[in-house]
Amino acid sequence: MEQWGFYFDQSRCLGCKACMLACKNWNELRRGDKDTNRLNIENYTVAEGANENAAAYIDPATGTNNYAEFRKFYMKENWRRVSTHDRGGVVLGTGNTFKTTFDRRYLSVSCNHCSEPACRDACPVGAIFKEETIGAVIVNSSMCISCGKCREACPWNAPQYYDDNFARYNPDDPARPRMTKCTLCFDRVREGRKPTCVAACWNRALDAGPLEELKTKYSGIAGGWQNPDEIEEFANSAVPELGIPSTGPNIIFTRKGRWIRR
Amino acid sequence: MKSVFPISRRDLLKSAGAIVASAAVAGCGSNDSEDTFVSPMDGLVFDRELKTCFSSGPYNCGARCMHKIHYKNNRLVHLTSAGDIERDSSRSSDESPGEIGLPIQRRACVRGYSYLQRLYQPDRLKYPLIQTGNKGDISTFKRVSWEVAIEKAADALHAAIQRKATLGYSPIMCKWAGSTIDTFNSFVNHPDVAPIITHLGNESYGAVDAAKFDMVGVDSFTNNVTDRYNSQFIITWALDPSRTSYHIEQAHWFNTCAKEWGIPIVVITPNHSDTAAMLSTGVPEFTYTAGSTKTVDIPAWIPIRPATDGALAAAMAYVIYKNSLHNTTFLTSSCFGFFKDQQTTSTSARVIFPNFPPKNYNVPNDFSDDASMPATFTKGSLYAGAVFKVPAGESFEEYLISLENDWGGAVGNTAGGTTAAVGDPTYNQVLEYAAALTGVPSDTIEALAFKYARPGPGLTAGPAFMDVGGGPQRAWNGVEWVQMMIALCAMTGNTNRSGGGAGFSMGSCTDYPAAFAPVAPSASMLNNIETVNAISVPMGEWSHLALTGKDYRSRDRFIADVKICTGGTPLKDPTTGFVVGVIPKTPLDLTGRPDPLVEVDVWFINNYNGVTTLENINKTIAAVKSVKTVICCDQTMTPTAAYSDIIFPVTSHYESEGVAISYPGTTAMFKMDAPLDKMYDAKSDNSIRNLILSSLMTRYGYNFDPDTDFYSDLPKEYSGMVAQGTYEALKGPGSFYTALVDPSATAKTYEEFCRDGVIDYPIPKGKAVVGFQHFNPLGDLQNTTGRINFWQPLWGKIRPKTTRSSGPDYWGRTHDGFRNPTAKYQPNIEGYEKFFDNGPTPGPNFGNPLKGSFTGFYSKLSGRYYKLLYITNKARHRAHTVFDNVAVIKDQNVQCVFLNPADAAERGINDGDMVYVYNDRGCTYIPAKVTHYIAPGVISVEHGAWYRPHPTETVKVWIDTARNADGIWNPSTVYINGEPDFREFRVPIDVGGAENVLTLNVGGTEQYVGQAISAQGGPCEVSRTKPE
């Protein structure tokens, strides 16, 4: 096996979320509720009354756009997540002027396809495994019992459900959310393509490939890349509430730090 | 490794087909219980049945990107973008930002990816609808056949045209009537129909067009995008290229590379934009000497108060001037109006406006009423040879010195014509005043000015690039801000320098026309808009027209302008395309007409969400109610569609072929394929208009077949021919490109273009194209003098020399002035100055942010003090209002009000609380985002969220209207200074987060200025409790 991983350049990330959208777009047919919430658009039939029903547009209780209805038809799971991390502030100083120490950083993370995945070890039914060719961590959703233990175990929030109330569903309910997660775009990678988030990254902050290859590729940039071991501290500083077990995340990254000419 | 189902890659590859088959069996035949074994890898097989083609985004975000469409069985399955290429080929063909001269990948943003969801939205309009109840009530729309809907629309237009016999015009209003290149354009310009009413202007960059008009000429271009790499310092002013990059795809990526190559960048915005977050560096420990030697850290993000950007620019210009950092040679030879008493002989090849002036720039033709206009002027002749002289007191130099009195309080030694020395109290107080007004500390202002004028090592002169956005020009005083940007660039000689720039980045035709063959500066938008023959009103003021009979021009002025606008049709030089004369016709004379002067019976809307896009939504809705018939063509149930009487559903761009080009300035063009057959019972907008017109013609005894006599819905294969024709006409390379960049450049064949999905003409850093050298060389600008006008003769000579007053009343009801002929800072109509010493009786330091005490903005209408200023910056996931209904991106960018923790604490607001954001014009109810992302005293509600009224909750608002709430003309209206007095109404609270319930729809008393949007820097409040 040649272990693959991600590279993330925080000094380039604009927080635009194109990676998230590209992921949802490519994996639309892999979302957990695709069978329960599907538009009947195969032949574009125009059902009588479809356009006269005000509730199709507007939530009658609040008057807002009926987003609850609209969002049934896209992937809710965030296989890739972009978070915002602020430090410092801007205050009114002397002379009616602004004084600022504000700094913002973004963090784009999907699944780090760990060498020792905590999710795998936590799963009571053995639905999660490491795939053999590129080391992607894959879930067999059909086995999932929606217990949420994988989600609790993962420091990165990689295991996803389309509904956060997944535990409340009846086990026999066909709509019961089962865990889904990033596959490292296994289908695409096998075809010689980049994961869709990497292909989409608007500001070229993401990469993926064999981890050793990535380390070589990014060894020359100013500041260099950080070891996977350091991502615990990296993430800790960005997301303080996360506890970090030693899972061997397969990611290297460049921090946003002092501005350095490359 | 612990794997539960170890399946080898070899097995998978060997039997991919078999696994797909077994998955199908497992999925279909069983009860699908959790015991059923489904291989987890089944879903991870690349679907080889998918076909791939190209597309782009037809909605106008200002740029374009490449989409790769993966489809099957007449359905879109995936959408990827330009970065979706073989991994192995990434290194050679990926991510060259221009320095090495390769094309860059034009990758999609979230808006691009959301097209897939938008296509299949539940709120897509699928068949024609008519309103059977009250406007705005979605529950009372009823489906009708195409025949019935077309007939109703034609009936409404016919009834309106019948009224022309008595009114002299057809009371039909539509937008962009002059640039609609189809039969509808012929219709609205037909002698039996014209004139109609058109609401002109531009929501995106209207003030840039207005500002450039006589300062540098509308037909002017600035440096190409890769030239920023030749810069030594970049100021990104009010621009967030990760949200909006006009004419320039991937500007954020170019800026990223600039940063990584060591070019320092600072960002000036009221909110910490994504650009500020990632692409700015600041200038640490910048040392310079102004009186004494100082060391200042110029921050990466310079927060500024909304609509005071012009004041910061004025202060920077003051510092540059007082410290003699300005480029005297350039200002003397290439500019006019900077120096006192400066005189110049025009070298402009532009024709003096003939009797028929351009409609969008409604310039009266009575030049001769001003003695200072050269007597030799003949309408229709050239400006060249005319001598212009700056009147006393109106040069830019004198304006800067006047700041010592106006801002500096003349505490130094300015009396008697001498001016303050650098570092003396007057000089310092000018900067302190600007600091108190803008929020930017005085040492930052001074250092920034030095760094901009002396960016090189050891404070040497060098190129600095002002990368300007569009936020501050979407304000009442936006024109003046754009002019101050142009002025700063000219003062430092950056205008025509590689690595510099001219101070604007958008506008009619502004960036760069090098790539594509037929695009040259002479083919200007200006000439296109001159072809309108209509009663034209500023777009944001159309509601005032509907409610009062005219816009904010005075009655006399309005009548006079209508005469000009309807007094002829333009005569164009067939070679140059310029308007050189006029074919006179009898003008429409409204003199002596009773109110309302002008009525609107029909509003025809084509793919335009005017109700949400334009300012002052509650007033707009009152206006819509007064219009007899609103006809709307759109794809989704926008708020504008909801307030329409007849709705026509429009097809998507996946159903016919085409090419996409963002603007003439871009260097790339994209192929748009047609992967889908026709969806729903929809038609193309062209087809809809033709069907309506055919029906209308039957009333005049003509029988047309819309499918054969007009350009109607084309079969796919014909749309392919049209796409090819468009490509062949535009493909380039333009003569500029072969002359300046690559003499051996050739265009791709159409087949190659279809294969690649894109044609791109990259410009490497070393061959940067400088607009003011190559396209619009100084001395030959398309304005009055041919030079950069710090003092603009056109505005100085044809209008009374009054300053645009911001007026003492709630809306500055005395705003009776006209454009400033001199570039200068103009306080905003409801600007921050009015937050000081305000009240029922304003205090002695009213309007002075340095000396006055902060009271907030006092409204006589409501008796409220508003202590916050709003901005309405662009959202990352919308192009104006488009895409707001697409939940997949909306959920990632929740509409909210951003406010600073200090302001939140003062109001007892916690992060996530639902709050009312309100002023005298309206109220929106949205979540609060408490964050240091935004400066204290400023709130942001991002532009473009759809207005949606709450079913029951209402608030008080005040509207100046001569109609009742139901749209009926109210003969007992009280008028003040010719305008209806404000009256109190109750309107629903907006729950959609539409920022335009807050904004002001006053462009000015002059149509020319009013073509822009007035959406920034007004007063408001935020509260957890409902306002009363």
Side-chain angles (χ1 to χ4, degrees):
Chain A
M1 186 193 74
E2 187 178 33
Q3 178 66 52
W4 275 46
F6 284 109
Y7 167 72
F8 172 60
D9 187 341
Q10 192 182 38
S11 76
R12 284 183 172 180
C13 179
L14 298 163
C16 77
K17 300 184 182 174
C19 51
M20 287 180 75
L21 265 292
C23 173
K24 287 170 187 282
N25 209 311
W26 186 262
N27 295 299
E28 157 69 17
L29 298 177
R30 301 185 178 108
R31 63 189 166 98
D33 60 338
K34 70 176 191 305
D35 296 326
T36 44
N37 287 318
R38 198 88 193 128
L39 282 172
N40 178 21
I41 53 173
E42 298 300 336
N43 53 6
Y44 308 117
T45 53
V46 179
E48 196 64 41
N51 264 174
E52 290 91 326
N53 177 14
Y57 316 106
I58 303 289
D59 178 344
T62 63
T64 58
N65 273 350
N66 197 345
Y67 293 110
E69 184 66 19
F70 298 171
R71 73 169 59 94
K72 284 180 182 171
F73 308 105
Y74 77 83
M75 184 182 189
K76 268 73 66 182
E77 295 98 321
N78 296 318
W79 286 6
R80 180 167 279 281
R81 300 157 304 284
V82 177
S83 51
T84 304
H85 307 279
D86 294 342
R87 303 169 196 203
V90 52
V91 297
L92 201 57
T94 56
N96 205 24
T97 61
F98 302 128
K99 182 174 165 50
T100 176
T101 55
F102 188 72
D103 180 40
R104 172 168 280 192
R105 291 154 196 236
Y106 299 105
L107 181 60
S108 173
V109 170
S110 59
C111 170
N112 294 319
H113 299 280
C114 301
S115 298
E116 293 299 331
C119 56
R120 177 194 63 187
D121 298 345
C123 179
V125 296
I128 304 168
F129 65 97
K130 241 178 124 55
E131 174 281 328
E132 276 193 338
T133 55
I134 60 172
V137 175
I138 304 287
V139 61
N140 181 350
S141 299
S142 69
M143 294 176 67
C144 175
I145 59 170
S146 310
C147 69
K149 290 202 160 46
C150 53
R151 173 121 135 185
E152 289 168 25
C154 174
W156 318 104
N157 214 14
Q160 291 278 313
Y161 299 87
Y162 80 83
D163 182 351
D164 280 344
N165 293 320
F166 54 87
R168 292 193 196 157
Y169 284 70
N170 186 304
D172 297 326
D173 187 343
R176 173 170 60 83
R178 297 158 189 248
M179 194 272 269
T180 67
K181 67 177 291 301
C182 166
T183 69
L184 233 171
C185 275
F186 189 72
D187 55 337
R188 294 173 53 85
V189 168
R190 273 204 318 199
E191 293 292 309
R193 294 183 171 273
K194 297 176 276 191
T196 189
C197 53
V198 173
C201 182
W202 215 33
N203 213 35
R204 288 73 169 170
L206 283 175
D207 202 350
L211 202 65
E212 293 308 313
E213 180 189 308
L214 293 177
K215 288 178 180 175
T216 309
K217 183 174 175 182
Y218 294 103
S219 60
I221 72 165
W225 49 265
Q226 272 74 33
N227 267 310
D229 299 342
E230 288 181 42
I231 196 171
E232 296 181 5
E233 185 268 326
F234 174 63
N236 248 336
S237 62
V239 194
E241 67 270 22
L242 289 182
I244 307 294
S246 180
T247 61
N250 289 303
I251 183 170
I252 62 170
F253 54 91
T254 296
R255 273 176 224 270
K256 183 192 176 196
R258 196 167 56 82
W259 171 52
I260 304 167
R261 183 184 172 121
R262 289 194 174 175
Chain B
M1 176 158 61
K2 188 169 73 177
S3 294
V4 179
F5 294 107
I7 297 172
S8 76
R9 179 169 184 263
R10 189 178 60 252
D11 289 343
L12 274 173
L13 294 174
K14 209 163 57 179
S15 58
I19 289 173
V20 170
S22 73
V25 170
C28 301
S30 73
N31 291 329
D32 199 21
S33 77
E34 59 214 49
D35 296 323
T36 306
F37 173 77
V38 178
S39 163
M41 309 309 279
D42 288 351
L44 303 182
V45 177
F46 200 92
D47 186 349
R48 298 193 183 285
E49 289 177 28
L50 287 177
K51 294 183 202 162
T52 306
C53 68
F54 292 108
S55 191
S56 185
Y59 274 101
N60 189 357
C61 64
R64 288 292 183 276
C65 54
M66 176 199 273
H67 301 174
K68 294 182 179 177
I69 305 296
H70 308 261
Y71 65 105
K72 185 164 93 171
N73 300 333
N74 200 28
R75 178 174 174 173
L76 264 55
V77 179
H78 305 300
L79 190 157
T80 60
S81 186
D84 187 10
I85 58 173
E86 294 289 320
R87 183 172 169 265
D88 288 345
S89 56
S90 290
R91 288 199 188 188
S92 57
S93 61
D94 197 4
E95 297 151 24
S96 161
E99 180 164 47
I100 58 173
L102 291 175
I104 66 157
Q105 294 174 355
R106 319 272 174 163
R107 296 185 181 183
C109 71
V110 291
R111 289 167 284 218
Y113 285 102
S114 79
Y115 270 109
L116 188 117
Q117 270 76 26
R118 189 179 184 275
L119 182 71
Y120 298 121
Q121 278 274 118
D123 64 348
R124 273 292 301 274
L125 295 166
K126 302 177 181 71
Y127 43 72
L129 295 167
I130 57 166
Q131 178 58 274
T132 61
N134 295 322
K135 279 194 178 75
D137 185 350
I138 292 179
S139 67
T140 49
F141 278 115
K142 286 286 174 261
R143 179 177 189 172
V144 292
S145 68
W146 275 94
E147 290 72 22
V148 169
I150 294 289
E151 186 80 6
K152 270 187 82 72
D155 280 347
L157 290 170
H158 183 239
I161 295 165
Q162 295 297 97
R163 293 190 70 198
K164 191 192 166 188
T166 48
L167 296 173
Y169 62 92
S170 298
I172 299 166
M173 184 174 78
C174 63
K175 192 176 196 296
W176 303 120
S179 58
T180 312
I181 45 170
D182 65 8
T183 44
F184 204 76
N185 194 27
S186 311
F187 161 66
V188 299
N189 284 309
H190 191 278
D192 293 341
V193 178
I196 64 155
I197 304 147
T198 182
H199 47 131
L200 282 175
N202 190 301
E203 301 84 351
S204 305
Y205 50 74
V208 181
D209 281 353
K212 285 169 65 182
F213 190 66
D214 195 27
M215 192 154 183
V216 290
V218 168
D219 303 317
S220 52
F221 301 82
T222 186
N223 306 15
N224 82 290
V225 58
T226 51
D227 186 45
R228 70 191 60 199
Y229 301 143
N230 298 314
S231 187
Q232 292 176 322
F233 179 49
I234 298 176
I235 298 177
T236 304
W237 200 315
L239 176 65
D240 185 347
S242 71
R243 298 188 181 209
T244 308
S245 56
Y246 246 89
H247 309 270
I248 302 168
E249 292 87 359
Q250 312 284 294
H252 53 87
W253 173 235
F254 289 105
N255 277 7
T256 302
C257 296
K259 177 185 83 167
E260 291 177 1
W261 291 340
I263 302 167
I265 304 173
V266 300
V267 174
I268 303 170
T269 52
N271 61 320
H272 188 270
S273 69
D274 301 330
T275 321
M278 298 316 308
L279 304 181
S280 56
T281 64
V283 186
E285 298 180 354
F286 177 65
T287 301
Y288 63 97
T289 301
S292 59
T293 299
K294 305 172 184 179
T295 299
V296 173
D297 284 332
I298 305 177
W301 171 40
I302 301 174
I304 186 169
R305 291 196 177 88
T308 67
D309 304 73
L312 175 59
M316 286 171 65
Y318 176 77
V319 171
I320 290 170
Y321 173 70
K322 297 295 290 189
N323 289 279
S324 301
L325 305 174
H326 53 294
N327 189 327
T328 303
T329 309
F330 185 80
L331 290 170
T332 307
S333 63
S334 302
C335 304
F336 169 64
F338 184 90
F339 295 110
K340 188 180 178 191
D341 300 329
Q342 194 172 353
Q343 182 170 308
T344 193
T345 302
S346 172
T347 51
S348 168
R350 190 153 184 88
V351 175
I352 295 170
F353 289 107
N355 288 337
F356 187 85
K359 290 294 179 292
N360 227 12
Y361 309 92
N362 193 8
V363 184
N365 59 355
D366 48 354
F367 287 141
S368 56
D369 70 353
D370 190 311
S372 60
M373 181 62 83
T376 54
F377 264 25
T378 310
K379 292 160 194 164
S381 66
L382 300 179
Y383 281 114
V387 177
F388 295 97
K389 187 177 178 187
V390 191
E394 296 195 23
S395 70
F396 193 73
E397 176 178 52
E398 288 161 289
Y399 164 63
L400 294 177
I401 294 168
S402 77
L403 294 176
E404 296 183 347
N405 279 304
D406 294 349
W407 294 1
V411 293
N413 55 353
T414 60
T418 58
T419 70
V422 170
D424 86 1
T426 297
Y427 173 92
N428 290 340
Q429 191 177 312
V430 168
L431 299 190
E432 281 156 18
Y433 182 98
L437 175 58
T438 63
V440 182
S442 54
D443 59 350
T444 304
I445 296 174
E446 192 178 57
L448 189 63
F450 265 82
K451 180 67 184 171
Y452 179 64
R454 292 287 182 272
L459 292 179
T460 52
F465 173 45
M466 190 88 81
D467 196 9
V468 293
Q473 59 92 40
R474 280 170 47 88
W476 185 81
N477 65 352
V479 171
E480 285 80 358
W481 170 69
V482 178
Q483 296 190 334
M484 286 306 298
M485 294 293 100
I486 296 171
L488 274 176
C489 295
M491 276 182 81
T492 47
N494 276 305
T495 308
N496 66 344
R497 183 189 271 161
S498 175
F504 53 86
S505 67
M506 52 173 73
S508 292
C509 202
T510 48
D511 183 50
Y512 175 58
F516 299 110
V519 180
S522 62
S524 76
M525 194 172 182
L526 181 64
N527 280 288
N528 290 332
I529 55 185
E530 282 172 326
T531 61
V532 182
N533 173 24
I535 300 168
S536 52
V537 298
M539 61 193 164
E541 294 186 16
W542 89 266
S543 56
H544 198 65
L545 176 98
L547 293 171
T548 72
K550 64 169 188 61
D551 57 25
Y552 279 103
R553 280 171 282 183
S554 71
R555 203 171 201 281
D556 290 347
R557 165 118 230 122
F558 186 85
I559 290 169
D561 285 353
V562 166
K563 272 193 216 168
I564 295 168
C565 289
T566 58
T569 48
L571 177 66
K572 288 190 177 187
D573 182 315
T575 310
T576 65
F578 279 122
V579 175
V580 292
V582 64
I583 305 166
K585 65 190 282 289
T586 308
L588 173 62
D589 188 354
L590 300 171
T591 308
R593 292 277 181 95
D595 284 327
L597 264 182
V598 173
E599 297 175 69
V600 182
D601 285 0
V602 179
W603 187 16
F604 189 95
I605 306 162
N606 192 39
N607 290 320
Y608 177 60
N609 188 0
V611 166
T612 306
T613 307
L614 297 173
E615 312 100 312
N616 203 345
I617 288 176
N618 288 312
K619 186 170 177 181
T620 299
I621 287 170
V624 167
K625 286 179 179 171
S626 77
V627 177
K628 288 196 188 96
T629 309
V630 179
I631 304 169
C632 177
C633 309
D634 213 323
Q635 292 177 326
T636 56
M637 187 61 90
T638 64
T640 306
Y643 280 90
S644 299
D645 299 284
I646 308 170
I647 300 177
F648 293 105
V650 180
T651 50
S652 77
H653 61 289
Y654 297 116
E655 295 156 57
S656 59
E657 287 187 57
V659 297
I661 178 169
S662 61
Y663 270 90
T666 190
T667 58
M669 183 158 60
F670 304 91
K671 179 74 198 314
M672 297 172 81
D673 291 319
L676 300 185
D677 295 334
K678 192 163 167 290
M679 287 175 69
Y680 309 130
D681 190 13
K683 294 181 187 298
S684 75
D685 42 7
N686 256 339
S687 182
I688 293 165
R689 290 192 292 264
N690 292 334
L691 285 166
I692 295 170
L693 294 182
S694 298
S695 175
L696 184 65
M697 286 298 119
T698 60
R699 290 153 173 80
Y700 297 95
Y702 297 103
N703 282 302
F704 291 106
D705 178 348
D707 289 329
T708 55
D709 293 340
F710 292 114
Y711 177 91
S712 187
D713 262 358
L714 294 169
K716 268 193 199 180
E717 53 271 28
Y718 287 108
S719 73
M721 288 166 58
V722 173
Q724 180 167 6
T726 309
Y727 176 78
E728 297 293 350
L730 293 176
K731 65 184 179 185
S735 55
F736 294 112
Y737 191 81
T738 46
L740 298 171
V741 183
D742 182 2
S744 61
T746 52
K748 289 178 179 176
T749 65
Y750 186 64
E751 289 68 31
E752 290 166 338
F753 173 60
C754 292
R755 177 199 65 200
D756 301 341
V758 63
I759 180 170
D760 198 333
Y761 291 100
I763 303 169
K765 167 187 172 182
K767 297 199 170 178
V769 178
V770 179
F772 279 75
Q773 285 179 24
H774 300 124
F775 298 122
N776 26 271
L778 288 153
D780 194 26
L781 300 184
Q782 295 288 337
N783 61 2
T784 42
T785 64
R787 296 176 173 82
I788 297 170
N789 288 328
F790 282 80
W791 185 82
Q792 300 163 73
L794 208 52
W795 311 125
K797 288 181 180 291
I798 65 178
R799 287 293 163 92
K801 292 181 186 59
T802 50
T803 302
R804 269 177 83 187
S805 162
S806 47
D809 201 358
Y810 174 74
W811 273 7
R813 191 44 77 66
T814 60
H815 53 99
D816 54 354
F818 301 99
R819 281 215 39 68
N820 297 307
T822 311
K824 62 168 63 168
Y825 166 64
Q826 170 70 46
N828 203 24
I829 187 167
E830 297 175 334
Y832 190 60
E833 287 90 342
K834 291 181 183 166
F835 285 57
F836 290 86
D837 265 12
N838 204 337
T841 308
N845 286 312
F846 171 69
N848 189 327
L850 188 62
K851 302 267 171 81
S853 53
F854 184 88
T855 53
F857 183 98
Y858 175 73
S859 163
K860 287 177 184 168
L861 297 174
S862 60
R864 296 172 187 153
Y865 287 89
Y866 295 111
K867 299 196 172 177
L868 299 167
L869 283 158
Y870 58 77
I871 60 168
T872 66
N873 54 307
K874 291 284 179 73
R876 186 190 276 150
H877 63 297
R878 287 187 289 262
H880 284 296
T881 71
V882 182
F883 307 111
D884 188 56
N885 55 333
V886 187
V888 68
I889 47 176
K890 179 87 170 180
D891 286 349
Q892 300 300 330
N893 300 275
V894 175
Q895 185 73 0
C896 60
V897 52
F898 295 91
L899 77 166
N900 187 274
D903 298 318
E906 205 175 298
R907 290 159 180 79
I909 294 169
N910 297 310
D911 190 44
D913 285 353
M914 290 297 292
V915 292
Y916 299 88
V917 186
Y918 64 95
N919 61 15
D920 284 8
R921 294 183 279 271
C923 174
T924 182
Y925 185 58
I926 47 177
K929 179 67 192 167
V930 178
T931 171
H932 283 284
Y933 158 93
I934 193 147
V938 185
I939 62 140
S940 168
V941 182
E942 291 181 350
H943 171 51
W946 289 6
Y947 168 80
R948 294 298 190 194
H950 192 279
T952 53
E953 293 284 305
T954 60
V955 285
K956 280 194 286 193
V957 296
W958 287 262
I959 300 174
D960 47 345
T961 173
R963 292 182 186 271
N964 293 329
D966 51 8
I968 306 298
W969 189 260
N970 176 11
S972 56
T973 299
V974 176
Y975 286 81
I976 299 172
N977 296 334
E979 296 292 344
D981 195 10
F982 287 90
R983 285 165 45 220
E984 188 181 309
F985 291 85
R986 286 206 82 86
V987 300
I989 286 175
D990 163 57
V991 290
E995 88 292 354
N996 271 324
V997 297
L998 304 172
T999 55
L1000 174 72
N1001 70 319
V1002 175
T1005 49
E1006 189 177 5
Q1007 181 184 352
Y1008 168 79
V1009 175
Q1011 67 174 311
I1013 284 280
S1014 175
Q1016 315 281 15
C1020 67
E1021 257 306 330
V1022 182
S1023 170
R1024 289 171 60 181
T1025 54
K1026 202 173 109 176
E1028 260 320 321

